[in-house]
Amino acid sequence: MHGRVKVKTTAQQEEEKRKEREKKLKIYVAARDACFSKRKDAVFDDEALQLTQQLLSSNPDFATLWNYRREILTHLETVKDEDEVQKIYEAELSFLESCLKVNPKSYGSWHHRGWVSARLPRPAWTRELSLCDRCLSLDDRNFHCWDYRRMVVKMSDVPVKQELEFTDRLIGSNFSNYSSWHYRSTLLPLLHPESAERPSQRGDPPHSPSPPCPQTHSHRVCEEQLLKEYELVQNAFFTDPNDQSAWFYYRWLLGRAEREEMISCVYVSREEERVAVAFSRPVNARSGVLLLVLDGQPQRVEWRSVHPHFKHSPVWICDLPPGTISDITNEHNLTVHWTEKHAHRDCALYTGRSESWCRDTATDLELFRSELSVEKTSVLQSELQSVNQLQELEPLNKWCLLTIILLMRALDPLGYEKETLAHFQTLKEVDSMRSAYYGDLCSKFMIENTILKMEYAEVRVFSISDRNLTTLCHLDQLLLVTHINLSSNQLRRLPPQFAMLQCLEVVEADNNSIENLEGVYHLPKLEEVSLKNNQISTPADLQPLASCPKLKRLDLRGNPVTQTANVESELAELLPSVTDLLL
Amino acid sequence: MAAEDLPSDFDIVILGTGLAESVVAAACSRVGQRVLHLDRRSYYAANWASFTFNGLLTWIQEQNEETKPEEVKDWSSLMEEGEELIHLSNSDSASITNVQPAQTEGEEPEAEQPLPSSPSNQSKPARKKVSYAQLVKEGRRFNIDLVSKLLFSRGSLVDLLIKSNVSRYAEFKNVTRILTYRHGNVEQVPCSRADVFASRQLSVVEKRKLMRFLTSCMEETEEQTAYNGRPYLEFLRDQQLGESLQHFLLHSIAMVTEDTPTEEGLASTRHFLRCLGRYGNTPFLFPVYGLGEIPQCFSTSCAANMAAYGDDSSLSAFTFIPPVTRQMVSLQTHSIRTGPGPDQRRGGGGVADSLPGEVGDVDEGVVEGGEDVADAEHVLPLSHLRTQADHLLLLLLLPFTRSHVCGGEGSEVRLDRDMSTMDHDSVYKDRLLSNSMTCPPLSNNHKVYYGIIVQP
């Protein structure tokens, strides 16, 4: 098509072309209608095959016709003998090949091919595999073909090793290929699985009764192979640090195992007669998933998430029947069973205590860093060194900076905090289009660090002021926090997740840009809220506070809402419990 | 065409079938001139010829006999009035000298020395020894160019072949990799992105430096112009490129010498890079059946056109074309090819109506062979090259056996519209396969060999 002179078309030629098109359209529409009416009449004959074939060869994306064709073929299967069926399906495959030549990325054609291949009485998977080879040699990023290849491989038990070598080859000829890298990430754990013992030993917190789930670590790769992969992918990103596919694969390699599903915390409050349960991931515990046993007696309770927004939530609460635990001289033993995971957690509420909890801390679980063997730690150290080396050569490469941050976090989140912040600053400058993303990510890491510090100090005060926070996360880790200080950040809202802070008594969030308080919702112990210099603009924005029964002190100085007429009386009506209102 | 049908009147007579002569002949016939194209030799393409091994031996023999000066005959008796006699120059014995078979009879050929960096080496522990006698016996399986040249895939010859549609008469292959000889080893030169990625000799930091240099040198910067007139090597050094990278860039990519000025070095580096990736991971193409193909293709095109045009009998010119400028490349390639000789492959008729730029049909099917490229590659160690210090780029090489000819996956550059339908990007990758021939200037301290055969 290159190098041809564009010939101007005259009006007459245009007209001829238009007519030609119209004529074609007429034929097409007629054939289509014929197909539809045949299908309506449930006619499954050769003529219908012919018709659909004609239409599909000009438009292979016509899903209805593929469906019709499948109906015809399944019908023919019932009336013909095996040899004939084989012949019919083979003809179908060669027809499909011609469709794929017209459009190698047609969803319909690939799907149909998969269907036909699977129904072929005597399947020829080798041929299908070589078809994939051919297609991928023409376009190594045709994900339709990659999908089909995976299906063929699965159906015909192609050795994993052979497929891994295939990805070697494709990556060797052009490593900018997500599909190849991704395929590797699915093959490697099969070929070189991580040995199971070590992670489960380390992962089990001392008091976790839940048995380790066998699938938990199965997608990890053994260390020896991991080292080879690091080397391979390093070659790629040193060769072209702007190519994302290698970096993404690298992140996968550095990734940690999925967290075990477990109950991470059970909290019980005598005064509110309430139980709160935190999970390692958001769950839907609404109906019959959780069983509460109090002093040996199963209780009928209604579980709810902390905020009506959430169907899935990491924190669930329930109210005990009135009077069950209110007597402070009684001791109670509580067990929460997570029936579908066969997990449970006990919690004892002793005499004279108004609340109690049982939990794994973030530090116990190493939530915010990789689980590392000693060897892996040294591997990560050397990875960090080589990526630092690349950063010296390419000081402004965003992938490189981001990877350094991730490596530092995997190694020692608190120790590298200063460097991490500096790198985030550079990132925001070199990739200003994504500065908000980096801001959020940095907020997340700062929150993680603050959680760690809080836990090392064994306090229930979470203080993270003046850290440029743009978002709040990991709030499920703050279930037990009584005081939170978020002052002088860039927060715009206290999100619904904020309602997970079930023990919260005091909120300080001065000098932010908060305009939305959705998350300050049914916090049973909340007494004091300070929101100086924020962006609360109407009394209605304060509506969620009305659900907090103990709220006494509210500081709204420096908010637009203080300028509205009758604000005082409106707020008095909205928040009758507040005795100390500063406007 | 029977002899009596041959036209007896011509507009143009062209002597010699070297590349320039053949191009002119093709051009003239395409514009409707009747061309008589003569060559005093029994083979096509003058110094562009390719021979089988045995053919080469014969050629060397003839060449040595021919060197005796011919006596000048007196033709004046045959001249008619108004005619002027032009003496044709002697066979251009000046351009090729000192030709002799390098192998002395009876000497026991040494085994090929292992090439440490050649990956195929490890997989094939026992390389076959090749003896002179075997070479003679298998001589037909080689096509040896008198003058080794490769075509830059974006050079002017490739453009010409594409535009004129002459490329349809030949098949081309992309050189699979480029090697260099240094510190006693033959090493692969990482020149494309995939090579750099795969290279085992470079550290990751070197990889980054090399890639950065290759990408940045495509644009002209003030930093570069500051080095104008100063040696390219100095520029490379100041770019913090290590010794091995300097070697690759200077000798194998730019193909210049240590004192070549920076602007020239950069220009040839850029040219090299621009040619990368058009047909494969190296910038070079070569005709599958030897360089002699190219002049022949033009001759074929000429012949095809002639049949179509009428006769105008006035002799408009008597052209004498000087011998093609004989520049040599500092590359040593030896096309050793098997397969049908050029003779069998000529003779495309029915192409008279194809004009430049028009879509032509593919006239030769390509044999699919499942062989791996690496199997088909052979590096010919030339001990001459060994002695010749650092300056040579060794290229790759070619399948030895018939079954390899079209084998290499994807390495055959060809026009195949069926395949193209599957791939929207590379599809119309140019129907063309040809390439251009641009020779880097021969620098004085590069010795060039031709007619070298395997000197074990």
Side-chain angles (χ1 to χ4, degrees):
Chain A
M1 297 309 265
H2 295 286
R4 287 219 244 176
V5 184
K6 191 174 181 209
V7 187
K8 279 196 184 128
T9 53
T10 64
Q12 188 194 356
Q13 283 169 321
E14 284 287 337
E15 181 63 16
E16 273 168 25
K17 266 191 198 161
R18 198 183 57 79
K19 278 192 183 144
E20 187 75 8
R21 274 200 301 268
E22 254 172 29
K23 216 162 105 192
K24 275 191 192 158
L25 183 67
K26 226 180 230 171
I27 299 172
Y28 181 86
V29 170
R32 184 198 64 193
D33 292 344
C35 279
F36 282 1
S37 77
K38 268 174 170 293
R39 190 181 186 208
K40 211 171 160 192
D41 304 338
V43 181
F44 302 124
D45 58 2
D46 283 343
E47 194 201 347
L49 272 186
Q50 286 296 333
L51 271 176
T52 48
Q53 173 155 353
Q54 281 165 15
L55 285 167
L56 286 167
S57 35
S58 60
N59 175 15
D61 291 320
F62 203 148
T64 310
L65 293 183
W66 287 117
N67 283 337
Y68 183 29
R69 232 174 142 72
R70 279 188 283 273
E71 286 161 16
I72 301 168
L73 291 168
T74 8
H75 170 74
L76 290 179
E77 263 181 50
T78 61
V79 297
K80 308 252 179 181
D81 68 26
E82 188 183 302
D83 284 345
E84 284 172 309
V85 173
Q86 174 85 12
K87 253 187 222 149
I88 291 172
Y89 279 135
E90 271 169 7
E92 193 71 2
L93 288 176
S94 66
F95 162 56
L96 276 164
E97 209 165 315
S98 63
C99 291
L100 290 174
K101 278 180 188 167
V102 176
N103 177 6
K105 296 193 171 173
S106 153
Y107 284 87
S109 314
W110 283 107
H111 176 246
H112 191 61
R113 193 167 186 97
W115 185 86
V116 171
S117 290
R119 292 188 81 92
L120 205 58
R122 294 182 296 277
W125 295 114
T126 354
R127 184 194 53 204
E128 296 305 297
L129 202 61
S130 72
L131 174 99
C132 292
D133 282 350
R134 223 159 66 229
C135 277
L136 290 176
S137 72
L138 293 167
D139 175 2
D140 54 10
R141 305 194 225 191
N142 184 341
F143 65 87
H144 303 267
C145 183
W146 277 103
D147 272 345
Y148 184 64
R149 185 184 185 94
R150 282 190 288 268
M151 176 217 155
V152 170
V153 166
K154 199 172 155 201
M155 299 293 281
S156 57
D157 289 326
V158 176
V160 174
K161 193 157 172 277
Q162 188 184 318
E163 285 300 283
L164 194 66
E165 279 159 9
F166 176 73
T167 67
D168 281 342
R169 214 161 62 235
L170 264 79
I171 289 171
S173 69
N174 176 12
F175 60 80
S176 304
N177 188 332
Y178 283 105
S179 304
S180 302
W181 292 113
H182 167 72
Y183 198 26
R184 269 186 104 69
S185 76
T186 63
L187 297 171
L188 282 172
L190 300 176
L191 202 59
H192 306 282
E194 185 175 52
S195 52
E197 308 89 57
R198 189 188 297 121
S200 57
Q201 278 169 6
R202 291 180 59 87
D204 271 5
H207 40 252
S208 163
S210 55
C213 168
Q215 288 100 38
T216 314
H217 302 284
S218 65
H219 66 292
R220 300 305 303 162
V221 179
C222 72
E223 282 189 14
E224 192 194 350
Q225 185 62 31
L226 213 50
L227 289 181
K228 289 187 196 153
E229 293 301 303
Y230 282 142
E231 196 193 329
L232 179 73
V233 71
Q234 251 177 41
N235 276 312
F237 63 64
F238 269 87
T239 303
D240 185 356
N242 292 315
D243 182 81
Q244 320 180 20
S245 58
W247 288 110
F248 277 105
Y249 183 64
Y250 190 64
R251 268 172 91 163
W252 177 79
L253 289 174
L254 292 173
R256 38 173 295 131
E258 240 168 63
R259 291 181 61 192
E260 210 177 312
E261 296 184 327
M262 54 180 278
I263 299 175
S264 51
C265 178
V266 171
Y267 167 85
V268 53
S269 160
R270 206 186 279 275
E271 187 186 348
E272 278 95 29
E273 298 181 280
R274 177 179 286 190
V275 176
V277 181
F279 297 88
S280 56
R281 63 170 179 82
V283 296
N284 182 354
R286 205 166 292 260
S287 53
V289 173
L290 290 180
L291 177 65
L292 179 67
V293 178
L294 178 67
D295 302 323
Q297 298 294 315
Q299 302 288 315
R300 281 183 62 97
V301 290
E302 187 122 343
W303 292 98
R304 61 178 189 273
S305 71
V306 292
H307 195 281
H309 276 195
F310 302 127
K311 279 213 171 75
H312 286 76
S313 159
V315 175
W316 288 79
I317 46 185
C318 72
D319 293 317
L320 292 165
T324 37
I325 56 170
S326 52
D327 185 348
I328 199 150
T329 59
N330 285 342
E331 178 176 328
H332 297 282
N333 282 304
L334 243 128
T335 308
V336 177
H337 292 268
W338 186 6
T339 47
E340 62 185 6
K341 303 288 170 193
H342 304 290
H344 65 90
R345 170 146 272 182
D346 303 316
C347 177
L349 178 60
Y350 298 114
T351 314
R353 300 285 297 271
S354 66
E355 58 183 3
S356 176
W357 62 85
C358 170
R359 67 159 182 157
D360 297 319
T361 63
T363 38
D364 289 338
L365 295 174
E366 299 195 327
L367 273 193
F368 307 131
R369 52 188 287 174
S370 312
E371 350 176 296
L372 300 166
S373 65
V374 179
E375 304 92 89
K376 260 197 200 163
T377 310
S378 66
V379 169
L380 281 196
Q381 278 296 358
S382 75
E383 289 303 301
L384 180 59
Q385 260 167 28
S386 54
V387 184
N388 272 328
Q389 218 172 9
L390 178 58
Q391 202 249 333
E392 272 167 39
L393 295 165
E394 303 286 326
L396 301 182
N397 183 284
K398 60 176 179 171
W399 298 104
C400 188
L401 285 163
L402 187 57
T403 306
I404 289 176
I405 291 174
L406 297 172
L407 281 166
M408 286 178 165
R409 290 209 60 77
L411 280 162
D412 183 358
L414 291 175
Y416 284 115
E417 184 173 299
K418 216 173 129 198
E419 285 98 325
T420 307
L421 286 171
H423 284 321
F424 266 118
Q425 197 49 45
T426 325
L427 266 179
K428 285 183 200 169
E429 283 157 21
V430 298
D431 190 15
S432 56
M433 301 267 283
R434 274 161 214 87
S435 64
Y437 165 75
Y438 297 124
D440 285 358
L441 194 62
C442 185
S443 302
K444 179 175 164 215
F445 291 159
M446 288 307 113
I447 289 173
E448 289 176 359
N449 284 2
T450 311
I451 292 175
L452 292 176
K453 286 180 202 160
M454 174 181 78
E455 294 193 346
Y456 287 129
E458 297 186 1
V459 294
R460 295 170 72 183
V461 176
F462 185 84
S463 177
I464 185 164
S465 59
D466 206 8
R467 283 301 200 169
N468 294 318
L469 289 197
T470 52
T471 183
L472 291 175
C473 57
H474 291 307
L475 291 170
D476 57 310
Q477 298 293 319
L478 305 182
L479 178 60
L480 300 176
V481 164
T482 57
H483 289 66
I484 190 167
N485 179 2
L486 304 168
S487 298
S488 305
N489 284 301
Q490 296 160 28
L491 298 172
R492 306 174 69 97
R493 60 198 294 239
L494 298 178
Q497 288 85 345
F498 199 77
M500 293 191 274
L501 281 69
Q502 285 287 309
C503 300
L504 201 60
E505 292 163 17
V506 177
V507 178
E508 282 176 72
D510 301 339
N511 306 316
N512 279 288
S513 313
I514 297 173
E515 51 196 28
N516 179 315
L517 297 170
E518 245 181 319
V520 191
Y521 175 79
H522 282 289
L523 296 176
K525 296 176 191 288
L526 186 66
E527 294 176 8
E528 192 175 325
V529 175
S530 178
L531 289 167
K532 266 178 285 187
N533 302 321
N534 277 292
Q535 296 299 322
I536 312 280
S537 47
T538 68
D541 294 335
L542 296 160
Q543 177 69 42
L545 299 187
S547 65
C548 301
K550 289 195 174 167
L551 184 63
K552 290 190 182 58
R553 187 183 157 86
L554 178 61
D555 191 341
L556 289 173
R557 283 175 292 178
N559 279 284
V561 68
T562 55
Q563 307 306 315
T564 41
N566 307 326
V567 62
E568 221 156 329
S569 59
E570 265 186 67
L571 288 182
E573 193 181 329
L574 180 67
L575 306 168
S577 66
V578 173
T579 52
D580 201 355
L581 178 65
L582 295 171
L583 292 173
Chain B
M1 223 185 275
E4 59 266 26
D5 295 336
L6 287 174
S8 54
D9 296 328
F10 297 97
D11 303 316
I12 293 176
V13 178
I14 295 176
L15 303 182
T17 52
L19 179 65
E21 294 89 338
S22 299
V23 171
V24 171
C28 292
S29 84
R30 187 160 291 188
V31 296
Q33 304 286 314
R34 283 166 311 164
V35 179
L36 177 61
H37 200 172
L38 300 172
D39 198 309
R40 63 163 65 168
R41 301 175 189 87
S42 58
Y43 55 89
Y44 267 99
N47 286 350
W48 288 69
S50 307
F51 295 105
T52 62
F53 186 65
N54 312 51
L56 184 72
L57 293 178
T58 316
W59 178 84
I60 292 172
Q61 221 171 350
E62 283 170 6
Q63 200 70 12
N64 289 338
E65 284 162 8
E66 238 180 59
T67 43
K68 297 160 225 154
E70 292 167 44
E71 52 185 285
V72 178
K73 285 187 192 147
D74 183 13
W75 294 88
S76 49
S77 60
L78 297 170
M79 306 253 308
E80 287 174 17
E81 204 177 323
E83 285 182 339
E84 191 189 338
L85 183 68
I86 298 174
H87 283 285
L88 301 183
S89 66
N90 264 344
S91 65
D92 43 358
S93 47
S95 62
I96 299 182
T97 54
N98 190 27
V99 179
Q100 41 186 296
Q103 176 72 43
T104 46
E105 291 293 329
E107 191 185 317
E108 187 57 33
E110 328 161 19
E112 258 183 58
Q113 283 161 328
L115 302 169
S117 66
S118 156
S120 59
N121 214 32
Q122 283 115 34
S123 55
K124 287 183 258 165
R127 276 188 170 241
K128 271 192 257 165
K129 295 182 184 185
V130 180
S131 70
Y132 187 77
Q134 270 175 301
L135 277 182
V136 173
K137 192 170 157 225
E138 302 283 326
R140 290 191 54 238
R141 298 168 62 180
F142 297 82
N143 282 323
I144 300 159
D145 295 338
L146 282 188
V147 174
S148 294
K149 290 187 191 214
L150 292 174
L151 318 188
F152 268 121
S153 58
R154 283 188 201 280
S156 49
L157 185 56
V158 169
D159 287 349
L160 177 63
L161 285 164
I162 294 173
K163 263 191 233 154
S164 62
N165 215 8
V166 166
S167 57
R168 68 168 52 187
Y169 301 118
E171 283 170 33
F172 296 83
K173 258 190 131 151
N174 205 107
V175 167
T176 49
R177 56 203 179 110
I178 295 177
L179 305 174
T180 186
Y181 178 72
R182 115 182 227 272
H183 302 327
N185 291 324
V186 174
E187 296 177 1
Q188 179 163 354
V189 178
C191 49
S192 68
R193 186 168 174 264
D195 286 352
V196 174
F197 170 60
S199 167
R200 297 199 170 277
Q201 302 134 23
L202 298 182
S203 72
V204 285
V205 172
E206 282 178 312
K207 289 182 177 195
R208 182 78 293 268
K209 285 181 174 170
L210 177 59
M211 283 303 289
R212 196 158 58 160
F213 179 79
L214 293 179
T215 1
S216 67
C217 81
M218 289 308 284
E219 285 158 30
E220 207 164 305
T221 64
E222 277 178 26
E223 192 193 356
Q224 292 167 1
T225 42
Y227 280 83
N228 279 359
R230 291 155 68 190
Y232 190 40
L233 186 60
E234 198 178 314
F235 175 70
L236 295 177
R237 241 184 245 137
D238 292 353
Q239 299 293 306
Q240 313 295 325
L241 298 164
E243 205 194 314
S244 49
L245 296 183
Q246 288 172 31
H247 174 92
F248 291 146
L249 283 162
L250 194 70
H251 299 303
S252 303
I253 292 179
M255 291 179 285
V256 295
T257 62
E258 301 190 350
D259 40 21
T260 306
T262 301
E263 63 272 24
E264 239 174 77
L266 279 169
S268 40
T269 305
R270 286 187 196 121
H271 184 52
F272 183 100
L273 294 174
R274 266 195 300 273
C275 294
L276 271 181
R278 186 175 194 185
Y279 300 110
N281 272 338
T282 67
F284 303 112
L285 290 171
F286 63 92
V288 172
Y289 298 104
L291 204 59
E293 284 283 275
I294 292 179
Q296 281 194 61
C297 290
F298 282 102
S299 302
T300 306
S301 159
C302 171
N305 284 318
M306 274 216 302
Y309 293 95
D311 58 315
D312 175 70
S313 59
S314 60
L315 179 67
S316 56
F318 184 92
T319 4
F320 177 77
I321 314 285
V324 184
T325 341
R326 280 167 187 91
Q327 289 174 318
M328 265 4 74
V329 198
S330 59
L331 320 175
Q332 298 288 327
T333 19
H334 296 271
S335 305
I336 299 193
R337 268 287 172 178
T338 72
D343 301 357
Q344 292 157 259
R345 304 198 53 264
R346 292 191 303 114
V351 286
D353 53 345
S354 60
L355 296 168
E358 228 173 76
V359 181
D361 288 330
V362 187
D363 57 346
E364 300 266 344
V366 176
V367 186
E368 292 278 356
E371 308 282 346
D372 195 274
V373 187
D375 287 344
E377 280 184 354
H378 285 265
V379 177
L380 299 184
L382 303 174
S383 52
H384 275 71
L385 299 185
R386 291 257 153 99
T387 63
Q388 187 49 26
D390 287 331
H391 298 133
L392 296 164
L393 195 76
L394 273 176
L395 289 163
L396 49 289
L397 311 290
L398 340 163
F400 252 101
T401 65
R402 201 167 284 253
S403 65
H404 284 142
V405 170
C406 303
E409 238 179 296
S411 60
E412 187 89 10
V413 180
R414 59 180 163 163
L415 217 196
D416 182 321
R417 261 170 285 165
D418 271 350
M419 291 179 61
S420 58
T421 57
M422 306 291 286
D423 173 358
H424 293 261
D425 292 333
S426 61
V427 187
Y428 295 105
K429 221 179 203 164
D430 291 1
R431 30 230 30 251
L432 214 286
L433 339 175
S434 318
N435 322 330
S436 46
M437 177 150 304
T438 319
C439 308
L442 175 61
S443 58
N444 298 338
N445 48 356
H446 284 197
K447 209 163 154 191
V448 172
Y449 300 88
Y450 25 88
I452 303 182
I453 325 274
V454 179
Q455 169 149 75

